[in-house]
Amino acid sequence: MSIQLTTPTDRESAISLARSKGEPDWLVQLRGESAELAGTLPWPKPEKMRIERWNLTAVGNYEAQVKAESVSELPAIAGELIAKGTENLVVQRNSGVVWSGLSADLAAKGVIFTDLETACREHGELVQQYLFQAVKKDEDKLTALHAALWNGGIFLYVPKNVDVEVPLQAVLFNDNQEATFAPHILIVAESNSRVTYVDTVVTDKSAVAAEFTHPSIVEVFVKGGAQVRFGTIHALGETGADLSVRRAVVENDGRIEWIIGDLNDGNTMSETKSVLNGQGSTSDTKVISVGQKSQNMSLTTAAQHFGKSSDSNMVTRAVMKDSASAIINGVTKIEHGATKANGVQAEKVLMLSPKARGDANPILLIDEDDVTAGHAASVGQVNPEQVYYLMARGITKQDAERLIIYGFLAPVVSEIPVEAVREQLQRLLERKLQG
């Protein structure tokens, strides 16, 4: 069974739905334009992966959600992911946000942390400056489709010189296979601010057996001297196609850190890109993924340097089992004029099955002479010498291999800033590696 897209590619239907939700006129117009574009643009074409063969139109229908009266009312799938005692939390269930909370202290400092639909109504002028500016709605069919039907979502705004010392958390989950699940995440960090945001995107696998598509876009704007740390774990079910585009625009001396766990059970297209516009801007990206069964994954990290003395570092580590297939691309682009820029990347794939496939493709595109850049890529099996070394110290072969794999993935796992999310990541790794 699959749920096919019909109305969102029709301009009038998209406009009608937006008006029924009480959205502002500018957003209603954006929805209509995007729906029309979605009918004319092609799907994105990631390297060596034909995603058009996936069922990309099973997006379901918008279904309004009833807000929870307390966190304790949330389903167990969400409750177990929430950090104990957290006040700063947004929870999306299927097509809408059902819980939103922000501490009085942060609210008094001018921080905004709420669902994007509410932000469009209550902070429209602010949101309109940034929404679909890092990722344009007309880039391809995916971005246009998402712009027409996104729902719920996250809006995080940190004013100038505000240091948010505690991580802000979001849980986005799907437990209704007939509902559209398409969150849009928008983060704006004004100059010299600092914030950590972490989310978990999950499916209740016992409730969602039909094919579904999760079109997701993240836009992050890092102003001068600001620092944003963005952590996310995606763990959608085997019947899902996860299409996630993440992009940050970084100004002078700003910094973006991406910490990403792409641990879906189904097909995945993930693109994470930092656009380093400012002088001295920096980006650090860490990605892990585990493929199993017959999964197909396209994982791309990218950094585009415009600013002088800008710096990017990208690390991707993937473990492939069974007959899973992954195309892992690292793209460093240094534009003319970005003197003294530095770009480093490393893609490593660990193969646990002779039928699994992992392609690591480091790509350097350099249009400036006075720069430094480097790359490393490797695809291989668990090192038998390492296994032998551990076995010589009384560890079984199975446990030795597991320790080596966890050590291989540790650089990303250890960086997850919320304990409850980090524990969930470790549980997912256990399940995928032992399953």
Side-chain angles (χ1 to χ4, degrees):
M1 174 184 176
S2 63
I3 302 161
Q4 296 299 322
L5 171 68
T6 53
T7 55
T9 52
D10 175 81
R11 181 186 182 100
E12 293 306 316
S13 297
I15 288 175
S16 177
L17 176 59
R19 286 178 174 160
S20 73
K21 294 163 62 179
E23 295 182 343
D25 289 342
W26 65 267
L27 183 53
V28 171
Q29 182 178 352
L30 184 150
R31 300 278 202 189
E33 292 172 354
S34 301
E36 198 165 46
L37 284 168
T40 62
L41 295 172
W43 290 107
K45 297 184 182 301
E47 189 77 16
K48 300 180 181 179
M49 186 70 67
R50 299 188 63 181
I51 67 168
E52 67 273 13
R53 295 179 175 178
W54 305 351
N55 186 356
L56 302 178
T57 58
V59 296
N61 302 291
Y62 174 80
E63 295 193 14
Q65 301 296 304
V66 177
K67 292 190 178 294
E69 295 294 329
S70 68
V71 173
S72 62
E73 291 183 5
L74 297 171
I77 189 174
E80 67 181 14
L81 297 172
I82 298 171
K84 292 181 180 179
T86 184
E87 294 181 85
N88 309 303
L89 173 70
V90 176
V91 179
Q92 176 167 342
R93 183 178 191 178
N94 303 313
S95 301
V97 166
V98 295
W99 179 264
S100 180
L102 179 67
S103 70
D105 177 58
L106 290 179
K109 293 178 179 179
V111 174
I112 303 170
F113 185 49
T114 187
D115 66 277
L116 186 55
E117 290 188 21
T118 295
C120 286
R121 293 190 295 269
E122 297 181 359
H123 308 281
E125 290 187 7
L126 178 59
V127 173
Q128 195 174 0
Q129 293 178 53
Y130 298 101
L131 187 63
F132 291 104
Q133 295 305 304
V135 180
K136 302 294 186 180
K137 68 179 186 295
D138 60 356
E139 289 186 13
D140 50 46
K141 185 184 287 290
L142 171 60
T143 61
L145 177 63
H146 175 88
L149 57 80
W150 70 262
N151 48 43
I154 305 293
F155 180 65
L156 170 57
Y157 175 81
V158 186
K160 181 179 179 180
N161 297 325
V162 172
D163 187 348
V164 181
E165 297 179 354
V166 295
L168 307 185
Q169 185 181 7
V171 176
L172 309 113
F173 71 98
N174 176 22
D175 63 356
N176 179 350
Q177 62 189 25
E178 296 184 359
T180 303
F181 180 48
H184 187 105
I185 298 166
L186 177 59
I187 298 175
V188 180
E190 296 285 7
S191 59
N192 299 312
S193 64
R194 185 191 303 258
V195 68
T196 294
Y197 165 89
V198 61
D199 66 31
T200 312
V201 184
V202 295
T203 298
D204 183 345
K205 299 175 180 63
S206 65
V208 180
E211 291 183 323
F212 69 94
T213 301
H214 171 251
S216 171
I217 289 179
V218 175
E219 299 181 281
V220 182
F221 295 87
V222 185
K223 299 301 183 67
Q227 297 184 33
V228 176
R229 198 178 198 205
F230 186 105
T232 186
I233 298 171
H234 283 217
L236 302 181
E238 189 173 348
T239 58
D242 185 6
L243 309 176
S244 294
V245 177
R246 309 177 187 96
R247 199 166 298 166
V249 179
V250 189
E251 298 184 6
N252 290 351
D253 299 315
R255 178 174 176 81
I256 178 71
E257 294 182 40
W258 300 102
I259 307 159
I260 297 166
D262 278 319
L263 297 175
N264 300 307
D265 289 338
N267 292 334
T268 301
M269 188 199 77
S270 170
E271 178 195 299
T272 305
K273 181 178 181 179
S274 299
V275 181
L276 302 174
N277 283 339
Q279 181 172 334
S281 55
T282 61
S283 169
D284 186 271
T285 306
K286 296 182 177 72
V287 180
I288 63 169
S289 186
V290 178
Q292 65 178 2
K293 298 182 180 178
S294 58
Q295 271 185 274
N296 290 307
M297 296 185 293
S298 172
L299 310 176
T300 300
T301 56
Q304 187 172 15
H305 295 250
F306 291 96
K308 296 180 179 180
S309 300
S310 53
D311 186 276
S312 66
N313 181 58
M314 300 183 291
V315 175
T316 302
R317 300 198 173 186
V319 177
M320 306 304 294
K321 296 174 55 183
D322 307 322
S323 58
S325 175
I327 306 298
I328 299 171
N329 302 305
V331 183
T332 302
K333 180 72 165 73
I334 300 181
E335 303 289 352
H336 181 66
T339 56
K340 307 297 183 183
N342 176 55
V344 179
Q345 57 170 284
E347 295 83 40
K348 296 184 178 182
V349 185
L350 195 59
M351 312 293 285
L352 304 185
S353 165
K355 294 182 179 180
R357 178 189 174 194
D359 288 348
N361 305 302
I363 302 168
L364 299 178
L365 305 171
I366 313 297
D367 287 339
E368 180 59 57
D369 294 331
D370 188 13
V371 300
T372 56
H375 64 79
S378 66
V379 178
Q381 298 178 335
V382 174
N383 189 328
E385 293 183 1
Q386 293 177 329
V387 175
Y388 178 79
Y389 176 85
L390 293 171
M391 290 176 65
R393 280 147 182 79
I395 299 174
T396 66
K397 181 179 180 180
Q398 183 179 16
D399 287 343
E401 290 180 343
R402 186 177 297 120
L403 285 171
I404 292 168
I405 293 167
Y406 289 150
F408 178 76
L409 299 174
V412 178
V413 177
S414 62
E415 292 291 327
I416 297 294
V418 174
E419 184 178 0
V421 179
R422 188 165 57 248
E423 291 175 351
Q424 170 70 358
L425 175 57
Q426 290 169 340
R427 288 195 297 270
L428 287 168
L429 289 174
E430 286 278 355
R431 178 182 59 79
K432 292 204 75 172
L433 292 172
Q434 294 180 9

